[in-house]
Amino acid sequence: MYNFEVEQPTSVADAVAALGEEEAQALGGGQTLIPTLKQRLASPSKLVSLSGIAEMQGMSADAGVLSIGGGTAHATVAAGTAASYPALAALAGNIGDPAVRNRGTIGGSLANNDPAACYPAAALASGATIVTNAREIAADDYFDGLFTTALEEGEIVTQVRFPVPEVANYQKFVQPASRFALVGVFVAKYPDGVRVAVTGASEDGVFRWSEAEAALSANFNADALEGLSLSPDGMMADLHGTKAYRAHLISVLTKRAVAAAG
Amino acid sequence: MPKDSGIGASPKRREDQRFLTGNGNYTDDINLRGQAYVHFLRSDVAHGRITSIDTTAASAMPGVVRIFTGDDFEGVGGIPCGWQITDKHGEVMQEPAHPVLAQGKVRYVGDAIAAVVAETADQARDAAEAIELDIEELPAVINMKEAVKEGATKVHDDLTSNLCYDWGFVEENKPAVEEAFANAAHVTTLELVNNRLIANPMEPRVAVGDFNRSTGDSTLYTTSQNPHVIRLLMGAFVLGIPEHKLRVIAPDVGGGFGTKIFHYAEEAFCTFAAKALNRAVKWTSSRSEAFITDAHGRDHVSTIQLALDADNNFTALRTDTYANMGAYLSTFAPSVPTWLHGTLMAGNYKTPLIYVNVKAVFTNTVPVDAYRGAGRPEATYQLERVVDKAARELGVDPIALRRQNFITEFPYATPVAVEYDTGDYNATMDKLEEIADLKGFAARRAASEAKGKGRGLGVNCYIEACGIAPSNLVGQLGARAGLYESATVRVNATGGLVVMTGSHSHGQGHETSFPQVIADMIGIDESMVEIVHGDTANTPMGMGTYGSRSLAVGGSAMVRATEKIIAKAKKIAAHLMEAAEADIELKDGAFSVAGTDKSVAWGDVTLAAYVPHNYPLEDIEPGLEETAFYDPANFTYPSGAYACEVELDPETGKVSIERFAAADDFGNIVNPMIVDGQVHGGIGQGIGQALLEAAIYNEDGQLLSASYMDYAMPRADDLPFYQVDHSCQTPCTHNPLGVKGCGEAGAIGSPPAVVNAVVDALQSMGKDITHVDMPLSPARVWTAMNE
């Protein structure tokens, strides 16, 4: 770790101002950033901690929309949304280990957009709205490839709004070492159709499987997915799975998610 | 009835009090006055020529004390290898120089190029980044079979090739083995890989070097399983410090698993630098550094063949193995694929003819050496996989095939140079069938199939050679050390005992189990006995802890020393009671005269030894302290039978272990709870190897699995509850405790059980798959099913 300054603003406005400085870096729960700093793979001159900002904490449900503050920890989401959005609660409760869940935040996860992270699948499958200090971004416009999002420099995810689906389920097949998603599939059924988002698999990060969405919108049953498959082209390959294996897992997990969503 | 004290009882581990409450004293807890910190600049390429190192700018950085490079070690010895193998042509192995810091070339990612000593660890690291380094990259030598081809790039320019040795065992048997194969009714062949592993003890390695200018004494604190071995190797071969001027202390050590046996360059560096700088120098490995500097384990590529006659008797066995040595020879590396592997190829079977060929190969990878089991898991895995495959090919029950070929008469001289003293392989197999409930397997398989899952049962046997080892024998085999163990038993005036032993404890529970033995011998409470280990200044020369040898060898030395104590105490007691020495009996902590009601307590005798007012001073010296060295007459041969049941998800290839049973014969047992724990831990690591762990290099020599993000360690939810039994006991015939050793059995016996079970599941699902290489990750299993 190199030396850096730390600032702990208590309002979004102060945080945005602090992030305007050269080489300043926002710090959410630090579950990705701190290990990166320890390995000396990043050298920000200033960390702007978002954990002391009250307006970025907590959850509220209103008119079928669940709003979660960007600074809310995974464990808080897991405990607080079990009734309002059980599939999301289950996802949050199965990220990393207890230390990660108690420190890591939803805003941090979505801003980082790790291609194997769980939250991007939930946000994209739910057609969530990513609220920042400056604007509202539809999930469909937000994710932009590996570790890349529509966020501008210094822009902070202050809230995420999830339209609550009729039924939903997230199936995560873990990479044996990291226990990130080797492939994760989030299926959410809304009155106007079904959305299917896949994490962990594609070289372009989280994506929607439109053929499956069409089939499931017509018939929300795992049988509707028979014969549907994705090409291995464009999938990731590493020590833990080939392109073909990941493409195959997407089909398997989508069926399981539909079956589990009921 | 379980005993509540002494041999056979299971008192809680007394050392856990300090381990679990944060009161342990580990090497990183040691901080000396004026201590400086070292950071090693390590190669990020696998193979290259160092064309220039410029430390000028780095030396001017804040806090830098001095920067060392390979040039500073001209005239200093290299890291020695402790075992010399003679190959099948009678030639000694090729043994490359192993400098403390790289000289001229770097040979693996992680090879230390320079060492920065600074006032703080961060300053050392900052300065290391400022060293200007030019390396001309050379092609990396990674694949062993490519490495030994004519014209391959050489890891060491001054050697004739990358072949360390080409070992044949027993070379004279080779023609007879060939003939047996020519005449065989059936031959089963299997090619397999024993995956490279990284031990990952919870505590990374640490070294603190210190030097006293007034006395000229050097001290090294280090994370070692065997401080005396480090003192000998480093003092005599690297730094030229006589043993009386060098003290090595290995305090609490947080797990070793083999990888802390070896003498590492960082230990020599810290000791050397402390003297050069006249101040203490400390190095603490980061976890990332541990992945690329701790010696790795296993990494064999083998082809094994089993010949059977028309009645399914094993008639011959032959195996060809390529064994990875890595870039340099670690302390015991050459012995692992040879004497700890070839000698075990008979396994539990009376195969009359065996030939083992091992080609040890240098590559641009981290040195490979002993890891829990060391050679014996590699032997067991090959043998038990090929026997399983043979059973399948012949359509016979794999347990019946094993039983038919079991050795049943002891002692038994194998065709691979060892003599098993005792064992009862049918007894452990009987016990296994019972505790694993093999009768219930069919119903459990049906239940799995009803859920759309496959289910497989894998059974195997193992034998291992522990209690390493008779010194004269290992000397003939190329060991450059003796392998006895020692103990000094000091009785204090008020009757308490301190045992100073060369056996180091780093998770084995010696501080609990060793006192149980002495308590039984004297008839006193265990709390009266304290175990001291880990410091060359206050323990007699000992060879340390590995090869499941502590109780069998170190415990035997302790027994011998205690016998001397008791013999002397009886003389004192005879004097006190004015009786003949031959009539004195020791029972329940009191000496009595046979046939009388005269007795004196243990404490009366020990007090007399130190306050010798009424004492036979003309016959014996005051005091009560004895030392014994014990050199075993043979290895010990623990054995057992293991069963694993897996469920396999055909859609994802995921294997889950549903049941695991182990029936072991460890001979006599001192603390059954500790033995259970050792078996549990060993099986955990064996399942880790079978399902999860793999150190993978790419063709450029970069370690792809260089962190826990990619190197999968077994976690609690990867492991089942175990049925563990060690009630089958054929005591060792040649050590005083009749013990055999239990530390490695689990890691040796479990990988073939898991793989046999997965193959069984695949076959039951109609897949014509006879082998999948470890680790059996979901991706590998699914790929095998869908190729």
Side-chain angles (χ1 to χ4, degrees):
Chain A
M1 204 176 272
Y2 299 105
N3 286 337
F4 49 80
E5 304 285 319
V6 180
E7 201 153 319
Q8 293 180 290
T10 54
S11 72
V12 171
D14 288 350
V16 170
L19 284 168
E21 290 176 34
E22 197 76 5
E23 287 186 40
Q25 164 76 47
L27 172 67
Q31 296 306 295
T32 301
L33 182 56
I34 299 294
T36 307
L37 295 177
K38 281 184 173 175
Q39 291 180 72
R40 295 191 160 192
L41 296 174
S43 53
S45 58
K46 175 183 280 190
L47 292 185
V48 179
S49 170
L50 307 179
S51 2
I53 302 173
E55 61 195 285
M56 283 174 60
Q57 294 290 333
M59 292 155 286
S60 64
D62 184 34
V65 174
L66 174 68
S67 300
I68 301 176
T72 310
H74 310 328
T76 309
V77 174
T81 63
S84 55
Y85 195 167
L88 186 69
L91 174 148
N94 199 28
I95 296 173
D97 54 27
V100 168
R101 291 195 289 274
N102 284 320
R103 291 295 307 167
T105 65
I106 187 169
S109 174
L110 292 175
N112 190 47
N113 192 20
D114 187 306
C118 296
Y119 264 133
L124 190 58
S126 306
T129 301
I130 319 297
V131 183
T132 75
N133 54 294
R135 55 187 170 142
E136 296 182 2
I137 311 170
D140 284 322
D141 302 326
Y142 176 83
F143 299 102
D144 207 11
L146 308 187
F147 299 103
T148 310
T149 67
L151 293 175
E152 301 287 341
E153 194 77 18
E155 193 171 1
I156 300 169
V157 177
T158 56
Q159 192 184 58
V160 187
R161 293 184 193 145
F162 291 90
V164 178
E166 294 170 359
V167 291
N169 185 263
Y170 178 59
Q171 291 286 321
K172 174 185 183 179
F173 192 84
V174 299
Q175 193 258 53
S178 69
R179 298 211 171 173
F180 272 77
L182 185 67
V183 174
V185 177
F186 200 108
V187 173
K189 179 172 182 288
Y190 291 91
D192 58 348
V194 175
R195 291 172 67 103
V196 177
V198 180
T199 189
S202 166
E203 287 176 339
D204 295 326
V206 67
F207 69 97
R208 286 173 65 186
W209 185 13
S210 46
E211 292 85 351
E213 291 184 349
L216 291 169
S217 296
N219 174 18
F220 193 71
N221 188 303
D223 295 340
L225 297 164
E226 262 334 299
L228 288 187
S229 64
L230 280 156
S231 165
D233 294 341
M235 297 295 163
M236 292 192 285
D238 58 21
L239 294 179
H240 310 286
T242 59
K243 292 167 183 275
Y245 182 58
R246 281 186 164 85
H248 165 78
L249 280 182
I250 295 170
S251 298
V252 171
L253 298 178
T254 307
K255 284 178 195 163
R256 290 183 180 182
V258 171
Chain B
M1 267 296 285
K3 294 179 69 178
D4 56 10
S5 69
I7 291 174
S10 291
K12 295 277 189 295
R13 301 197 333 160
R14 57 170 78 165
E15 45 271 81
D16 288 343
Q17 177 79 25
R18 68 178 192 277
F19 294 157
L20 297 178
T21 57
N23 284 311
N25 182 36
Y26 295 90
T27 307
D28 196 47
D29 294 323
I30 290 162
N31 293 295
L32 304 177
R33 192 162 56 88
Q35 159 183 297
Y37 296 81
V38 60
H39 184 89
F40 291 95
L41 174 67
R42 298 188 181 280
S43 179
D44 58 7
V45 301
H47 195 192
R49 209 173 300 286
I50 302 170
T51 51
S52 75
I53 307 177
D54 185 349
T55 59
T56 318
S59 297
M61 299 272 289
V64 174
V65 176
R66 186 170 155 190
I67 299 177
F68 295 80
T69 65
D71 289 347
D72 294 295
F73 286 82
E74 294 286 351
V76 177
I79 304 300
C81 178
W83 204 300
Q84 186 179 58
I85 295 298
T86 302
D87 77 4
K88 66 183 185 185
H89 308 296
E91 304 283 329
V92 297
M93 67 186 189
Q94 296 207 78
E95 193 169 353
H98 185 177
V100 173
L101 294 174
Q103 293 174 339
K105 268 174 86 170
V106 290
R107 294 186 175 88
Y108 64 94
V109 172
D111 209 356
I113 298 165
V116 181
V117 180
E119 299 295 338
T120 72
D122 275 341
Q123 287 172 333
R125 191 172 175 184
D126 289 342
E129 288 178 3
I131 293 173
E132 290 175 28
L133 179 67
D134 279 316
I135 292 184
E136 175 203 340
E137 211 169 329
L138 299 168
V141 179
I142 302 300
N143 180 294
M144 286 192 278
K145 290 183 181 175
E146 297 295 321
V148 294
K149 283 187 180 160
E150 193 74 29
T153 301
K154 287 195 286 184
V155 176
H156 296 276
D157 300 334
D158 52 338
L159 302 186
T160 59
S161 71
N162 293 317
L163 186 65
C164 177
Y165 56 75
D166 185 355
W167 186 73
F169 182 67
V170 176
E171 197 61 25
E172 298 76 54
N173 290 352
K174 198 177 178 186
V177 171
E178 307 270 320
E179 193 186 333
F181 270 91
N183 296 331
H186 184 84
V187 173
T188 296
T189 302
L190 183 60
E191 290 180 32
L192 42 76
V193 174
N194 203 292
N195 39 327
R196 178 185 276 243
L197 303 176
I198 302 175
N200 282 303
M202 194 177 290
E203 176 204 31
R205 289 188 297 119
V206 183
V208 186
D210 193 21
F211 181 70
N212 184 323
R213 189 167 51 173
S214 305
T215 61
D217 291 347
S218 292
T219 302
L220 170 69
Y221 301 84
T222 184
T223 48
S224 177
Q225 300 175 216
N226 31 244
H228 288 92
V229 174
I230 304 305
R231 185 180 66 166
L232 179 63
L233 291 175
M234 184 177 79
F237 297 98
V238 190
L239 301 179
I241 307 173
E243 283 158 293
H244 65 286
K245 303 302 281 180
L246 174 59
R247 178 180 179 187
V248 177
I249 302 170
D252 285 334
V253 172
F257 312 111
T259 202
K260 289 177 183 165
I261 297 171
F262 323 120
H263 175 42
Y264 286 94
E266 294 88 354
E267 296 170 321
F269 177 82
C270 289
T271 311
F272 176 89
K275 185 172 182 181
L277 301 170
N278 191 34
R279 64 189 289 189
V281 173
K282 180 173 193 171
W283 171 71
T284 301
S285 173
S286 68
R287 183 60 68 183
S288 306
E289 215 171 0
F291 272 93
I292 54 167
T293 65
D294 290 2
H296 292 180
R298 314 280 194 260
D299 205 351
H300 288 191
V301 176
S302 300
T303 303
I304 184 166
Q305 291 190 296
L306 177 67
L308 303 95
D309 67 16
D311 297 323
N312 297 340
N313 297 309
F314 303 165
T315 56
L317 185 80
R318 67 184 170 203
T319 164
D320 288 293
T321 288
Y322 289 82
N324 207 333
M325 294 287 103
Y328 301 98
L329 290 179
S330 178
T331 307
F332 287 123
S335 68
V336 174
T338 50
W339 300 111
L340 295 176
H341 169 253
T343 51
L344 273 300
M345 286 310 311
N348 308 62
Y349 311 109
K350 52 191 177 197
T351 315
L353 290 162
I354 297 175
Y355 179 73
V356 180
N357 176 247
V358 177
K359 294 180 179 69
V361 183
F362 294 111
T363 60
N364 291 117
T365 63
V366 172
V368 180
D369 206 327
Y371 168 69
R372 200 169 191 168
R376 290 151 288 167
E378 294 91 321
T380 304
Y381 183 62
Q382 286 188 69
L383 182 60
E384 292 297 322
R385 284 289 301 121
V386 81
V387 169
D388 222 62
K389 189 173 183 222
R392 204 167 286 288
E393 288 174 355
L394 294 165
V396 299
D397 174 54
I399 294 177
L401 182 63
R402 286 179 168 88
R403 285 185 185 271
Q404 174 184 342
N405 286 281
F406 274 162
I407 296 160
T408 52
E409 289 175 18
F410 298 87
Y412 176 81
T414 72
V416 277
V418 291
E419 183 174 286
Y420 302 161
D421 58 343
T422 55
D424 187 345
Y425 309 144
N426 277 307
T428 44
M429 186 59 86
D430 290 346
K431 178 57 71 176
L432 180 78
E433 294 200 34
E434 174 197 328
I435 63 171
D437 182 28
L438 297 192
K439 287 198 180 81
F441 173 69
R444 295 191 292 273
R445 171 175 274 172
S448 293
E449 287 173 349
K451 293 187 294 180
K453 303 282 178 66
R455 195 174 185 110
L457 170 66
V459 170
N460 67 276
C461 304
Y462 76 89
I463 181 152
E464 54 160 331
C466 291
I468 181 168
S471 293
N472 55 357
L473 174 62
V474 296
Q476 289 166 24
L477 305 184
R480 288 163 168 163
L483 286 167
Y484 52 82
E485 196 47 81
S486 66
T488 294
V489 177
R490 176 179 297 159
V491 186
N492 293 318
T494 55
L497 293 92
V498 180
V499 180
M500 288 148 278
T501 169
S503 294
H504 191 275
S505 185
H506 37 273
Q508 293 83 355
H510 296 173
E511 293 169 41
T512 303
S513 56
F514 280 24
Q516 291 179 245
V517 174
I518 291 195
D520 248 23
M521 290 178 74
I522 301 175
I524 54 174
D525 195 82
E526 285 144 19
S527 64
M528 291 175 68
V529 186
E530 198 73 18
I531 303 298
V532 172
H533 64 88
D535 184 345
T536 60
N538 60 22
T539 57
M541 175 73 180
M543 295 308 294
T545 292
Y546 39 81
S548 304
R549 70 194 300 272
S550 292
L551 192 60
V553 190
S556 293
M558 180 181 72
V559 168
R560 291 283 185 251
T562 307
E563 286 169 352
K564 292 186 194 180
I565 292 282
I566 291 171
K568 184 173 177 183
K570 281 184 174 175
K571 286 189 203 302
I572 301 168
H575 176 89
L576 293 176
M577 293 187 281
E578 297 175 338
E581 188 190 326
D583 294 334
I584 304 297
E585 293 172 349
L586 171 61
K587 190 165 180 255
D588 297 334
F591 296 90
S592 57
V593 181
T596 74
D597 58 357
K598 278 200 221 173
S599 84
V600 287
W602 168 254
D604 293 332
V605 171
T606 61
L607 188 66
Y610 288 94
V611 188
H613 296 164
N614 176 18
Y615 195 86
L617 283 167
E618 60 282 7
D619 294 329
I620 51 175
E621 298 166 6
L624 207 45
E625 174 166 329
E626 298 288 350
T627 295
F629 282 70
Y630 179 81
D631 203 291
N634 190 356
F635 293 89
T636 62
Y637 299 95
S639 61
Y642 283 21
C644 175
E645 264 181 62
V646 299
E647 204 169 72
L648 198 162
D649 179 350
E651 290 187 323
T652 64
K654 182 165 173 58
V655 171
S656 61
I657 296 182
E658 300 298 313
R659 296 170 66 92
F660 200 102
D664 295 293
D665 175 1
F666 296 133
N668 294 334
I669 287 183
V670 171
N671 185 316
M673 176 197 71
I674 288 177
V675 170
D676 282 353
Q678 289 289 314
V679 175
H680 288 187
I683 295 173
Q685 285 180 300
I687 290 174
Q689 170 164 32
L691 293 186
L692 296 159
E693 299 182 47
I696 309 259
Y697 281 93
N698 71 7
E699 59 190 18
D700 298 327
Q702 295 293 331
L703 182 63
L704 299 179
S705 50
S707 80
Y708 293 136
M709 291 299 281
D710 287 300
Y711 189 92
M713 293 293 284
R715 301 180 210 197
D717 65 351
D718 292 314
L719 304 173
F721 284 90
Y722 308 118
Q723 282 90 44
V724 171
D725 183 280
H726 29 74
S727 62
C728 298
Q729 298 180 357
T730 59
C732 169
T733 57
H734 55 80
N735 67 45
L737 290 165
V739 296
K740 294 184 172 181
C742 66
E744 296 161 294
I748 294 168
S750 53
V754 176
V755 179
N756 289 349
V758 173
V759 171
D760 185 53
L762 290 167
Q763 293 271 343
S764 78
M765 296 157 84
K767 297 286 178 183
D768 184 25
I769 296 169
T770 55
H771 182 69
V772 184
D773 274 325
M774 303 185 290
L776 300 180
S777 66
R780 282 196 187 191
V781 173
W782 181 84
T783 302
M785 292 176 76
N786 289 279
E787 267 171 350

